[in-house]
Amino acid sequence: DTGVSQDPRHKITKRGQNVTFRCDPISEHNRLYWYRQTLGQGPEFLTYFQNEAQLEKSRLLSDRFSAERPKGSFSTLEIQRTEQGDSAMYLCASSPTAFSREQYFGPGTRLTVT
Amino acid sequence: SQKIEQNSEALNIQEGKTATLTCNYTNYSPAYLQWYRQDPGRGPVFLLLIRENEKEKRKERLKVTFDTTLKQSLFHITASQPADSATYLCALRTGAGSYQLTFGKGTKLSVIP
């Protein structure tokens, strides 16, 4: 059983650069979520997809952040003009349809903005 | 404002004892509450979900209670082992029709041999 995978696992970038992360959910999970986690905090919701439709987006999400899920399979999260405050662990999670409420998380992408 | 509090940042207990972690929330009326385990450098792993009409849920050495009057959930690990050392997060769905989860900051549990 393949779990949620994320690529890359680590990314170091200079301030002002754009970065893109990829998430491959568990196959047949049609719900996909992105979270951000900083040290000592719990994951913070960023956005949610059901199939290819982006249904929820955090009000805290800057317009420098954009996410896509073409064809309802893998998803990408792009951050434009990165800032040092963007340094965090970016987590992807997926869940199956209907009555399942638990979310299955990937290992995360650790972003460091220098 | 809405808030989830896990009121111990860290908890140290002796191996074999029962660990009890607390999650309190304000200004929510969640239909269910979840507990996750997170190891350093890894994503959270789902442990248990308890619904508002359930008082208690068990899974092996884990037990969760949910008191919607007190707005509190307790998470117990009985016969704790060093391998149980991790950060434990509680999470709530925080909006009607929403699937996003809001997490507490977590409690870091250390089980001492």
Side-chain angles (χ1 to χ4, degrees):
Chain A
D1 182 25
T2 305
V4 177
S5 61
Q6 293 186 245
D7 184 68
R9 295 292 309 277
H10 302 274
K11 178 72 177 177
I12 300 174
T13 191
K14 292 186 190 298
R15 189 173 47 151
Q17 298 294 304
N18 298 346
V19 293
T20 300
F21 309 140
R22 177 180 170 124
C23 170
D24 286 89
I26 295 171
S27 60
E28 299 179 357
H29 279 196
N30 72 353
R31 294 187 176 136
L32 187 146
Y33 311 79
W34 285 98
Y35 292 85
R36 175 174 60 193
Q37 187 175 26
T38 53
L39 198 63
Q41 303 294 315
E44 176 189 30
F45 172 79
L46 294 179
T47 191
Y48 154 62
F49 290 84
Q50 181 163 316
N51 298 313
E52 64 275 8
Q54 188 174 19
L55 296 186
E56 287 187 71
K57 200 171 169 182
S58 169
R59 286 170 292 176
L60 302 175
L61 199 62
S62 159
D63 58 7
R64 296 183 298 105
F65 287 69
S66 63
E68 293 183 341
R69 193 183 181 197
K71 302 178 184 177
S73 56
F74 71 91
S75 176
T76 57
L77 177 69
E78 181 184 18
I79 309 174
Q80 297 183 325
R81 305 181 303 280
T82 52
E83 301 172 357
Q84 287 189 318
D86 297 332
S87 296
M89 176 77 86
Y90 289 83
L91 293 162
C92 175
S94 68
S95 65
T97 60
F99 302 107
S100 176
R101 297 291 181 255
E102 64 267 27
Q103 297 182 13
Y104 298 85
F105 283 81
T109 294
R110 166 84 53 199
L111 173 66
T112 303
V113 182
T114 62
Chain B
S1 64
Q2 301 167 327
K3 198 186 286 188
I4 299 172
E5 284 185 343
Q6 294 186 249
N7 52 4
S8 296
E9 285 191 9
L11 179 65
N12 297 328
I13 64 163
Q14 209 68 33
E15 182 177 4
K17 301 291 186 185
T18 296
T20 298
L21 285 62
T22 305
C23 176
N24 294 291
Y25 58 93
T26 58
N27 298 329
Y28 293 125
S29 296
Y32 54 86
L33 182 147
Q34 303 182 35
W35 284 89
Y36 288 78
R37 168 183 173 142
Q38 187 171 27
D39 290 285
R42 299 190 151 202
V45 174
F46 171 77
L47 296 175
L48 281 168
L49 179 151
I50 186 164
R51 301 185 186 281
E52 60 180 341
N53 60 351
E54 297 174 316
K55 294 295 184 189
E56 183 179 296
K57 201 85 168 273
R58 291 176 185 260
K59 179 182 175 183
E60 297 173 353
R61 295 183 295 109
L62 308 180
K63 184 178 86 171
V64 173
T65 63
F66 193 14
D67 188 325
T68 55
T69 302
L70 290 179
K71 294 187 181 294
Q72 181 181 80
S73 175
L74 299 179
F75 177 81
H76 306 271
I77 305 176
T78 57
S80 59
Q81 305 166 0
D84 296 326
S85 298
T87 295
Y88 292 87
L89 301 157
C90 72
L92 301 174
R93 195 183 76 169
T94 54
S98 168
Y99 289 96
Q100 69 168 277
L101 290 178
T102 299
F103 284 83
K105 291 184 179 181
T107 296
K108 184 176 180 180
L109 175 67
S110 297
V111 180
I112 302 160

